[in-house]
mmCIF file of all heavy atoms in Angstrom:
data_model
loop_
_atom_site.group_PDB
_atom_site.id
_atom_site.type_symbol
_atom_site.label_atom_id
_atom_site.label_comp_id
_atom_site.label_asym_id
_atom_site.label_seq_id
_atom_site.Cartn_x
_atom_site.Cartn_y
_atom_site.Cartn_z
ATOM 1 N N LYS A 285 36.161 -10.351 -7.869
ATOM 2 C CA LYS A 285 37.333 -10.279 -6.997
ATOM 3 C C LYS A 285 37.176 -9.171 -5.953
ATOM 4 O O LYS A 285 37.805 -9.218 -4.897
ATOM 5 C CB LYS A 285 38.595 -10.030 -7.826
ATOM 6 C CG LYS A 285 38.914 -11.151 -8.809
ATOM 7 C CD LYS A 285 40.089 -10.776 -9.698
ATOM 8 C CE LYS A 285 40.343 -11.856 -10.741
ATOM 9 N NZ LYS A 285 41.439 -11.473 -11.664
ATOM 10 N N ILE A 286 36.348 -8.199 -6.265
ATOM 11 C CA ILE A 286 36.068 -7.112 -5.325
ATOM 12 C C ILE A 286 34.923 -7.497 -4.404
ATOM 13 O O ILE A 286 34.966 -7.282 -3.192
ATOM 14 C CB ILE A 286 35.714 -5.817 -6.087
ATOM 15 C CG1 ILE A 286 36.859 -5.412 -7.019
ATOM 16 C CG2 ILE A 286 35.382 -4.689 -5.117
ATOM 17 C CD1 ILE A 286 38.170 -5.105 -6.311
ATOM 18 N N ASN A 287 33.872 -8.067 -4.987
ATOM 19 C CA ASN A 287 32.695 -8.437 -4.196
ATOM 20 C C ASN A 287 32.103 -9.736 -4.734
ATOM 21 O O ASN A 287 31.449 -9.745 -5.786
ATOM 22 C CB ASN A 287 31.643 -7.328 -4.229
ATOM 23 C CG ASN A 287 30.467 -7.629 -3.322
ATOM 24 O OD1 ASN A 287 30.485 -8.580 -2.546
ATOM 25 N ND2 ASN A 287 29.432 -6.813 -3.412
ATOM 26 N N LEU A 288 32.324 -10.799 -4.014
ATOM 27 C CA LEU A 288 31.825 -12.105 -4.428
ATOM 28 C C LEU A 288 30.300 -12.149 -4.431
ATOM 29 O O LEU A 288 29.693 -13.007 -5.083
ATOM 30 C CB LEU A 288 32.385 -13.187 -3.505
ATOM 31 C CG LEU A 288 32.242 -14.643 -3.961
ATOM 32 C CD1 LEU A 288 32.907 -14.845 -5.328
ATOM 33 C CD2 LEU A 288 32.842 -15.591 -2.935
ATOM 34 N N LEU A 289 29.659 -11.223 -3.721
ATOM 35 C CA LEU A 289 28.198 -11.143 -3.739
ATOM 36 C C LEU A 289 27.672 -10.605 -5.066
ATOM 37 O O LEU A 289 26.476 -10.667 -5.328
ATOM 38 C CB LEU A 289 27.707 -10.248 -2.595
ATOM 39 C CG LEU A 289 28.075 -10.697 -1.182
ATOM 40 C CD1 LEU A 289 27.606 -9.662 -0.166
ATOM 41 C CD2 LEU A 289 27.485 -12.065 -0.866
ATOM 42 N N ARG A 290 28.568 -10.011 -5.860
ATOM 43 C CA ARG A 290 28.225 -9.471 -7.189
ATOM 44 C C ARG A 290 27.140 -8.409 -7.100
ATOM 45 O O ARG A 290 26.197 -8.374 -7.899
ATOM 46 C CB ARG A 290 27.820 -10.605 -8.136
ATOM 47 C CG ARG A 290 28.927 -11.635 -8.340
ATOM 48 C CD ARG A 290 28.515 -12.742 -9.281
ATOM 49 N NE ARG A 290 29.546 -13.774 -9.381
ATOM 50 C CZ ARG A 290 30.602 -13.742 -10.178
ATOM 51 N NH1 ARG A 290 30.778 -12.686 -10.960
ATOM 52 N NH2 ARG A 290 31.480 -14.728 -10.213
ATOM 53 N N LYS A 291 27.267 -7.538 -6.108
ATOM 54 C CA LYS A 291 26.327 -6.440 -5.912
ATOM 55 C C LYS A 291 27.096 -5.146 -5.729
ATOM 56 O O LYS A 291 28.249 -5.147 -5.281
ATOM 57 C CB LYS A 291 25.472 -6.698 -4.663
ATOM 58 C CG LYS A 291 24.526 -7.882 -4.764
ATOM 59 C CD LYS A 291 24.004 -8.283 -3.403
ATOM 60 C CE LYS A 291 23.287 -7.148 -2.693
ATOM 61 N NZ LYS A 291 22.797 -7.555 -1.354
ATOM 62 N N VAL A 292 26.446 -4.062 -6.094
ATOM 63 C CA VAL A 292 26.980 -2.737 -5.792
ATOM 64 C C VAL A 292 26.054 -2.078 -4.775
ATOM 65 O O VAL A 292 24.860 -2.394 -4.725
ATOM 66 C CB VAL A 292 27.100 -1.870 -7.069
ATOM 67 C CG1 VAL A 292 28.214 -2.353 -7.957
ATOM 68 C CG2 VAL A 292 25.781 -1.816 -7.841
ATOM 69 N N PRO A 293 26.628 -1.186 -3.952
ATOM 70 C CA PRO A 293 27.999 -0.701 -3.947
ATOM 71 C C PRO A 293 28.976 -1.701 -3.342
ATOM 72 O O PRO A 293 28.583 -2.593 -2.589
ATOM 73 C CB PRO A 293 27.917 0.556 -3.072
ATOM 74 C CG PRO A 293 26.831 0.235 -2.098
ATOM 75 C CD PRO A 293 25.813 -0.536 -2.894
ATOM 76 N N ALA A 294 30.231 -1.485 -3.695
ATOM 77 C CA ALA A 294 31.325 -2.200 -3.056
ATOM 78 C C ALA A 294 32.458 -1.205 -2.855
ATOM 79 O O ALA A 294 32.528 -0.182 -3.544
ATOM 80 C CB ALA A 294 31.784 -3.381 -3.897
ATOM 81 N N MET A 295 33.309 -1.509 -1.908
ATOM 82 C CA MET A 295 34.394 -0.594 -1.555
ATOM 83 C C MET A 295 35.708 -1.353 -1.470
ATOM 84 O O MET A 295 35.741 -2.504 -1.031
ATOM 85 C CB MET A 295 34.088 0.051 -0.201
ATOM 86 C CG MET A 295 35.066 1.129 0.241
ATOM 87 S SD MET A 295 34.968 1.379 2.042
ATOM 88 C CE MET A 295 35.992 0.001 2.605
ATOM 89 N N LYS A 296 36.780 -0.692 -1.913
ATOM 90 C CA LYS A 296 38.124 -1.227 -1.731
ATOM 91 C C LYS A 296 38.978 -0.106 -1.162
ATOM 92 O O LYS A 296 39.071 0.968 -1.748
ATOM 93 C CB LYS A 296 38.697 -1.725 -3.059
ATOM 94 C CG LYS A 296 40.007 -2.507 -2.928
ATOM 95 C CD LYS A 296 40.380 -3.145 -4.268
ATOM 96 C CE LYS A 296 41.550 -4.106 -4.112
ATOM 97 N NZ LYS A 296 42.825 -3.420 -3.800
ATOM 98 N N ASP A 297 39.562 -0.347 -0.032
ATOM 99 C CA ASP A 297 40.414 0.642 0.632
ATOM 100 C C ASP A 297 41.742 -0.042 0.919
ATOM 101 O O ASP A 297 41.880 -0.767 1.894
ATOM 102 C CB ASP A 297 39.759 1.117 1.927
ATOM 103 C CG ASP A 297 40.452 2.360 2.488
ATOM 104 O OD1 ASP A 297 41.354 2.891 1.816
ATOM 105 O OD2 ASP A 297 40.070 2.790 3.599
ATOM 106 N N GLY A 298 42.711 0.187 0.029
ATOM 107 C CA GLY A 298 43.947 -0.574 0.121
ATOM 108 C C GLY A 298 43.672 -2.029 -0.205
ATOM 109 O O GLY A 298 43.117 -2.357 -1.257
ATOM 110 N N ASP A 299 44.000 -2.903 0.712
ATOM 111 C CA ASP A 299 43.731 -4.339 0.519
ATOM 112 C C ASP A 299 42.406 -4.763 1.140
ATOM 113 O O ASP A 299 42.042 -5.943 1.068
ATOM 114 C CB ASP A 299 44.862 -5.177 1.149
ATOM 115 C CG ASP A 299 46.189 -4.984 0.423
ATOM 116 O OD1 ASP A 299 46.154 -4.766 -0.809
ATOM 117 O OD2 ASP A 299 47.239 -5.040 1.077
ATOM 118 N N PHE A 300 41.700 -3.820 1.744
ATOM 119 C CA PHE A 300 40.460 -4.130 2.448
ATOM 120 C C PHE A 300 39.264 -3.902 1.536
ATOM 121 O O PHE A 300 39.127 -2.827 0.947
ATOM 122 C CB PHE A 300 40.342 -3.258 3.694
ATOM 123 C CG PHE A 300 39.086 -3.468 4.485
ATOM 124 C CD1 PHE A 300 38.878 -4.650 5.180
ATOM 125 C CD2 PHE A 300 38.104 -2.486 4.551
ATOM 126 C CE1 PHE A 300 37.722 -4.858 5.916
ATOM 127 C CE2 PHE A 300 36.949 -2.675 5.287
ATOM 128 C CZ PHE A 300 36.756 -3.867 5.975
ATOM 129 N N THR A 301 38.409 -4.910 1.414
ATOM 130 C CA THR A 301 37.195 -4.762 0.618
ATOM 131 C C THR A 301 35.973 -4.906 1.514
ATOM 132 O O THR A 301 36.015 -5.590 2.544
ATOM 133 C CB THR A 301 37.126 -5.807 -0.510
ATOM 134 O OG1 THR A 301 37.175 -7.118 0.055
ATOM 135 C CG2 THR A 301 38.276 -5.621 -1.493
ATOM 136 N N LEU A 302 34.898 -4.248 1.101
ATOM 137 C CA LEU A 302 33.683 -4.246 1.917
ATOM 138 C C LEU A 302 32.470 -4.175 1.002
ATOM 139 O O LEU A 302 32.469 -3.425 0.025
ATOM 140 C CB LEU A 302 33.698 -3.049 2.868
ATOM 141 C CG LEU A 302 32.629 -2.984 3.966
ATOM 142 C CD1 LEU A 302 32.768 -4.149 4.938
ATOM 143 C CD2 LEU A 302 32.719 -1.657 4.724
ATOM 144 N N ALA A 303 31.446 -4.953 1.351
ATOM 145 C CA ALA A 303 30.176 -4.929 0.627
ATOM 146 C C ALA A 303 29.089 -4.381 1.545
ATOM 147 O O ALA A 303 29.300 -4.213 2.742
ATOM 148 C CB ALA A 303 29.809 -6.342 0.158
ATOM 149 N N GLU A 304 27.934 -4.106 0.956
ATOM 150 C CA GLU A 304 26.730 -3.637 1.636
ATOM 151 C C GLU A 304 26.821 -2.147 1.990
ATOM 152 O O GLU A 304 27.736 -1.703 2.668
ATOM 153 C CB GLU A 304 26.407 -4.462 2.877
ATOM 154 C CG GLU A 304 26.119 -5.920 2.560
ATOM 155 C CD GLU A 304 24.906 -6.099 1.648
ATOM 156 O OE1 GLU A 304 23.947 -5.305 1.759
ATOM 157 O OE2 GLU A 304 24.915 -7.029 0.828
ATOM 158 N N SER A 305 25.827 -1.402 1.510
ATOM 159 C CA SER A 305 25.865 0.059 1.609
ATOM 160 C C SER A 305 25.915 0.569 3.047
ATOM 161 O O SER A 305 26.648 1.520 3.346
ATOM 162 C CB SER A 305 24.657 0.666 0.890
ATOM 163 O OG SER A 305 23.442 0.175 1.432
ATOM 164 N N ILE A 306 25.138 -0.034 3.940
ATOM 165 C CA ILE A 306 25.127 0.459 5.321
ATOM 166 C C ILE A 306 26.482 0.241 5.977
ATOM 167 O O ILE A 306 27.005 1.125 6.670
ATOM 168 C CB ILE A 306 24.015 -0.222 6.145
ATOM 169 C CG1 ILE A 306 22.631 0.024 5.501
ATOM 170 C CG2 ILE A 306 24.025 0.289 7.583
ATOM 171 C CD1 ILE A 306 22.271 1.475 5.323
ATOM 172 N N ALA A 307 27.080 -0.920 5.738
ATOM 173 C CA ALA A 307 28.412 -1.189 6.277
ATOM 174 C C ALA A 307 29.430 -0.195 5.728
ATOM 175 O O ALA A 307 30.297 0.300 6.469
ATOM 176 C CB ALA A 307 28.837 -2.618 5.945
ATOM 177 N N ILE A 308 29.311 0.125 4.443
ATOM 178 C CA ILE A 308 30.243 1.085 3.826
ATOM 179 C C ILE A 308 30.037 2.481 4.417
ATOM 180 O O ILE A 308 31.010 3.184 4.746
ATOM 181 C CB ILE A 308 30.060 1.097 2.298
ATOM 182 C CG1 ILE A 308 30.507 -0.246 1.709
ATOM 183 C CG2 ILE A 308 30.842 2.246 1.671
ATOM 184 C CD1 ILE A 308 30.141 -0.439 0.248
ATOM 185 N N LEU A 309 28.790 2.901 4.567
ATOM 186 C CA LEU A 309 28.511 4.216 5.148
ATOM 187 C C LEU A 309 29.083 4.339 6.558
ATOM 188 O O LEU A 309 29.702 5.365 6.911
ATOM 189 C CB LEU A 309 27.009 4.468 5.176
ATOM 190 C CG LEU A 309 26.345 4.734 3.815
ATOM 191 C CD1 LEU A 309 24.828 4.655 3.937
ATOM 192 C CD2 LEU A 309 26.772 6.080 3.261
ATOM 193 N N LEU A 310 28.892 3.320 7.367
ATOM 194 C CA LEU A 310 29.402 3.363 8.738
ATOM 195 C C LEU A 310 30.929 3.339 8.761
ATOM 196 O O LEU A 310 31.561 4.006 9.593
ATOM 197 C CB LEU A 310 28.829 2.203 9.545
ATOM 198 C CG LEU A 310 27.311 2.260 9.772
ATOM 199 C CD1 LEU A 310 26.845 1.022 10.533
ATOM 200 C CD2 LEU A 310 26.906 3.519 10.517
ATOM 201 N N TYR A 311 31.519 2.590 7.858
ATOM 202 C CA TYR A 311 32.987 2.566 7.749
ATOM 203 C C TYR A 311 33.521 3.959 7.427
ATOM 204 O O TYR A 311 34.484 4.433 8.038
ATOM 205 C CB TYR A 311 33.403 1.570 6.664
ATOM 206 C CG TYR A 311 34.891 1.539 6.386
ATOM 207 C CD1 TYR A 311 35.744 0.729 7.132
ATOM 208 C CD2 TYR A 311 35.443 2.314 5.366
ATOM 209 C CE1 TYR A 311 37.113 0.698 6.871
ATOM 210 C CE2 TYR A 311 36.804 2.296 5.101
ATOM 211 C CZ TYR A 311 37.636 1.482 5.849
ATOM 212 O OH TYR A 311 39.000 1.462 5.591
ATOM 213 N N LEU A 312 32.885 4.612 6.452
ATOM 214 C CA LEU A 312 33.329 5.954 6.066
ATOM 215 C C LEU A 312 33.149 6.944 7.215
ATOM 216 O O LEU A 312 34.006 7.814 7.442
ATOM 217 C CB LEU A 312 32.565 6.423 4.826
ATOM 218 C CG LEU A 312 32.791 5.603 3.544
ATOM 219 C CD1 LEU A 312 31.913 6.152 2.413
ATOM 220 C CD2 LEU A 312 34.250 5.614 3.134
ATOM 221 N N CYS A 313 32.033 6.821 7.936
ATOM 222 C CA CYS A 313 31.801 7.678 9.108
ATOM 223 C C CYS A 313 32.955 7.571 10.096
ATOM 224 O O CYS A 313 33.466 8.580 10.594
ATOM 225 C CB CYS A 313 30.513 7.250 9.817
ATOM 226 S SG CYS A 313 29.049 8.135 9.316
ATOM 227 N N ARG A 314 33.319 6.347 10.401
ATOM 228 C CA ARG A 314 34.304 6.101 11.450
ATOM 229 C C ARG A 314 35.717 6.434 10.989
ATOM 230 O O ARG A 314 36.483 7.075 11.712
ATOM 231 C CB ARG A 314 34.204 4.648 11.908
ATOM 232 C CG ARG A 314 32.910 4.358 12.661
ATOM 233 C CD ARG A 314 32.564 2.884 12.676
ATOM 234 N NE ARG A 314 31.318 2.634 13.417
ATOM 235 C CZ ARG A 314 30.540 1.589 13.224
ATOM 236 N NH1 ARG A 314 30.855 0.672 12.311
ATOM 237 N NH2 ARG A 314 29.434 1.434 13.929
ATOM 238 N N LYS A 315 36.058 6.001 9.792
ATOM 239 C CA LYS A 315 37.429 6.233 9.336
ATOM 240 C C LYS A 315 37.711 7.712 9.127
ATOM 241 O O LYS A 315 38.785 8.200 9.495
ATOM 242 C CB LYS A 315 37.692 5.466 8.035
ATOM 243 C CG LYS A 315 39.085 5.775 7.480
ATOM 244 C CD LYS A 315 39.541 4.897 6.353
ATOM 245 C CE LYS A 315 40.937 5.332 5.927
ATOM 246 N NZ LYS A 315 41.493 4.465 4.867
ATOM 247 N N TYR A 316 36.756 8.417 8.532
ATOM 248 C CA TYR A 316 36.998 9.816 8.179
ATOM 249 C C TYR A 316 36.464 10.783 9.231
ATOM 250 O O TYR A 316 36.518 11.999 9.029
ATOM 251 C CB TYR A 316 36.408 10.106 6.797
ATOM 252 C CG TYR A 316 37.146 9.355 5.714
ATOM 253 C CD1 TYR A 316 36.673 8.131 5.255
ATOM 254 C CD2 TYR A 316 38.334 9.831 5.181
ATOM 255 C CE1 TYR A 316 37.359 7.420 4.277
ATOM 256 C CE2 TYR A 316 39.026 9.139 4.204
ATOM 257 C CZ TYR A 316 38.532 7.923 3.759
ATOM 258 O OH TYR A 316 39.230 7.226 2.796
ATOM 259 N N GLN A 317 35.961 10.235 10.338
ATOM 260 C CA GLN A 317 35.504 11.062 11.461
ATOM 261 C C GLN A 317 34.627 12.214 10.974
ATOM 262 O O GLN A 317 34.896 13.389 11.247
ATOM 263 C CB GLN A 317 36.708 11.570 12.264
ATOM 264 C CG GLN A 317 37.526 10.439 12.868
ATOM 265 C CD GLN A 317 38.701 10.934 13.702
ATOM 266 O OE1 GLN A 317 39.294 11.968 13.419
ATOM 267 N NE2 GLN A 317 39.041 10.194 14.732
ATOM 268 N N THR A 318 33.593 11.845 10.257
ATOM 269 C CA THR A 318 32.678 12.839 9.704
ATOM 270 C C THR A 318 31.897 13.529 10.827
ATOM 271 O O THR A 318 31.816 13.012 11.947
ATOM 272 C CB THR A 318 31.706 12.169 8.713
ATOM 273 O OG1 THR A 318 31.041 11.087 9.364
ATOM 274 C CG2 THR A 318 32.457 11.642 7.497
ATOM 275 N N PRO A 319 31.317 14.682 10.564
ATOM 276 C CA PRO A 319 30.589 15.411 11.617
ATOM 277 C C PRO A 319 29.572 14.540 12.338
ATOM 278 O O PRO A 319 28.928 13.674 11.732
ATOM 279 C CB PRO A 319 29.927 16.555 10.842
ATOM 280 C CG PRO A 319 30.863 16.816 9.706
ATOM 281 C CD PRO A 319 31.381 15.454 9.303
ATOM 282 N N ASP A 320 29.427 14.794 13.612
ATOM 283 C CA ASP A 320 28.653 13.939 14.501
ATOM 284 C C ASP A 320 27.202 13.752 14.063
ATOM 285 O O ASP A 320 26.602 12.697 14.300
ATOM 286 C CB ASP A 320 28.693 14.515 15.919
ATOM 287 C CG ASP A 320 27.941 13.648 16.917
ATOM 288 O OD1 ASP A 320 28.454 12.565 17.268
ATOM 289 O OD2 ASP A 320 26.832 14.040 17.328
ATOM 290 N N HIS A 321 26.626 14.749 13.401
ATOM 291 C CA HIS A 321 25.197 14.663 13.089
ATOM 292 C C HIS A 321 24.874 13.512 12.140
ATOM 293 O O HIS A 321 23.745 13.020 12.119
ATOM 294 C CB HIS A 321 24.682 15.987 12.509
ATOM 295 C CG HIS A 321 25.307 16.383 11.201
ATOM 296 N ND1 HIS A 321 24.860 15.911 9.997
ATOM 297 C CD2 HIS A 321 26.349 17.214 10.920
ATOM 298 C CE1 HIS A 321 25.587 16.436 9.023
ATOM 299 N NE2 HIS A 321 26.500 17.220 9.553
ATOM 300 N N TRP A 322 25.862 13.062 11.363
ATOM 301 C CA TRP A 322 25.581 11.971 10.433
ATOM 302 C C TRP A 322 25.254 10.668 11.169
ATOM 303 O O TRP A 322 24.366 9.924 10.772
ATOM 304 C CB TRP A 322 26.764 11.754 9.493
ATOM 305 C CG TRP A 322 26.989 12.859 8.532
ATOM 306 C CD1 TRP A 322 28.030 13.743 8.520
ATOM 307 C CD2 TRP A 322 26.155 13.226 7.428
ATOM 308 N NE1 TRP A 322 27.906 14.636 7.482
ATOM 309 C CE2 TRP A 322 26.761 14.334 6.797
ATOM 310 C CE3 TRP A 322 24.959 12.722 6.909
ATOM 311 C CZ2 TRP A 322 26.209 14.946 5.667
ATOM 312 C CZ3 TRP A 322 24.404 13.319 5.784
ATOM 313 C CH2 TRP A 322 25.026 14.426 5.180
ATOM 314 N N TYR A 323 26.025 10.384 12.219
ATOM 315 C CA TYR A 323 25.818 9.166 13.011
ATOM 316 C C TYR A 323 26.166 9.524 14.450
ATOM 317 O O TYR A 323 27.263 9.255 14.924
ATOM 318 C CB TYR A 323 26.690 8.033 12.474
ATOM 319 C CG TYR A 323 26.298 6.661 12.996
ATOM 320 C CD1 TYR A 323 24.995 6.180 12.845
ATOM 321 C CD2 TYR A 323 27.231 5.853 13.625
ATOM 322 C CE1 TYR A 323 24.640 4.924 13.308
ATOM 323 C CE2 TYR A 323 26.882 4.591 14.090
ATOM 324 C CZ TYR A 323 25.586 4.136 13.925
ATOM 325 O OH TYR A 323 25.239 2.889 14.385
ATOM 326 N N PRO A 324 25.224 10.140 15.178
ATOM 327 C CA PRO A 324 25.524 10.811 16.440
ATOM 328 C C PRO A 324 26.098 9.895 17.525
ATOM 329 O O PRO A 324 25.733 8.719 17.627
ATOM 330 C CB PRO A 324 24.156 11.361 16.871
ATOM 331 C CG PRO A 324 23.355 11.425 15.617
ATOM 332 C CD PRO A 324 23.817 10.280 14.787
ATOM 333 N N GLU A 325 26.970 10.473 18.322
ATOM 334 C CA GLU A 325 27.493 9.762 19.489
ATOM 335 C C GLU A 325 26.416 9.609 20.569
ATOM 336 O O GLU A 325 26.427 8.636 21.322
ATOM 337 C CB GLU A 325 28.703 10.510 20.068
ATOM 338 C CG GLU A 325 29.966 10.370 19.239
ATOM 339 C CD GLU A 325 30.517 8.955 19.251
ATOM 340 O OE1 GLU A 325 30.278 8.215 20.231
ATOM 341 O OE2 GLU A 325 31.176 8.574 18.273
ATOM 342 N N ASP A 326 25.517 10.564 20.640
ATOM 343 C CA ASP A 326 24.430 10.478 21.611
ATOM 344 C C ASP A 326 23.675 9.166 21.402
ATOM 345 O O ASP A 326 23.185 8.896 20.302
ATOM 346 C CB ASP A 326 23.479 11.659 21.423
ATOM 347 C CG ASP A 326 22.306 11.623 22.393
ATOM 348 O OD1 ASP A 326 21.318 10.921 22.076
ATOM 349 O OD2 ASP A 326 22.385 12.255 23.449
ATOM 350 N N PRO A 327 23.562 8.328 22.437
ATOM 351 C CA PRO A 327 22.977 6.989 22.241
ATOM 352 C C PRO A 327 21.528 7.005 21.780
ATOM 353 O O PRO A 327 21.112 6.116 21.022
ATOM 354 C CB PRO A 327 23.118 6.329 23.620
ATOM 355 C CG PRO A 327 23.316 7.449 24.584
ATOM 356 C CD PRO A 327 24.023 8.530 23.828
ATOM 357 N N LEU A 328 20.759 7.987 22.206
ATOM 358 C CA LEU A 328 19.359 8.039 21.796
ATOM 359 C C LEU A 328 19.232 8.436 20.321
ATOM 360 O O LEU A 328 18.433 7.853 19.573
ATOM 361 C CB LEU A 328 18.583 9.016 22.684
ATOM 362 C CG LEU A 328 18.531 8.665 24.173
ATOM 363 C CD1 LEU A 328 17.654 9.663 24.925
ATOM 364 C CD2 LEU A 328 18.014 7.240 24.389
#
């Protein structure tokens, strides 16, 4: 019910669920506005 792919990691944030580690990492970066060095704004 959390992840139909039956893989970990998986995330549930309220009613929103998300699979795949890279997608989860990027979600956390954006939602929690983590320091820039983790996923820099600089395009290069």
Side-chain angles (χ1 to χ4, degrees):
K285 297 174 184 177
I286 302 298
N287 185 9
L288 194 57
L289 300 176
R290 300 180 185 276
K291 293 165 58 181
V292 289
M295 185 200 81
K296 189 171 189 291
D297 193 6
D299 294 328
F300 179 69
T301 58
L302 190 63
E304 298 298 326
S305 58
I306 302 303
I308 293 170
L309 288 167
L310 294 177
Y311 175 87
L312 296 177
C313 266
R314 291 159 180 156
K315 176 169 180 177
Y316 293 96
Q317 299 182 327
T318 55
D320 182 73
H321 63 84
W322 292 111
Y323 194 55
E325 286 292 333
D326 179 276
L328 298 184

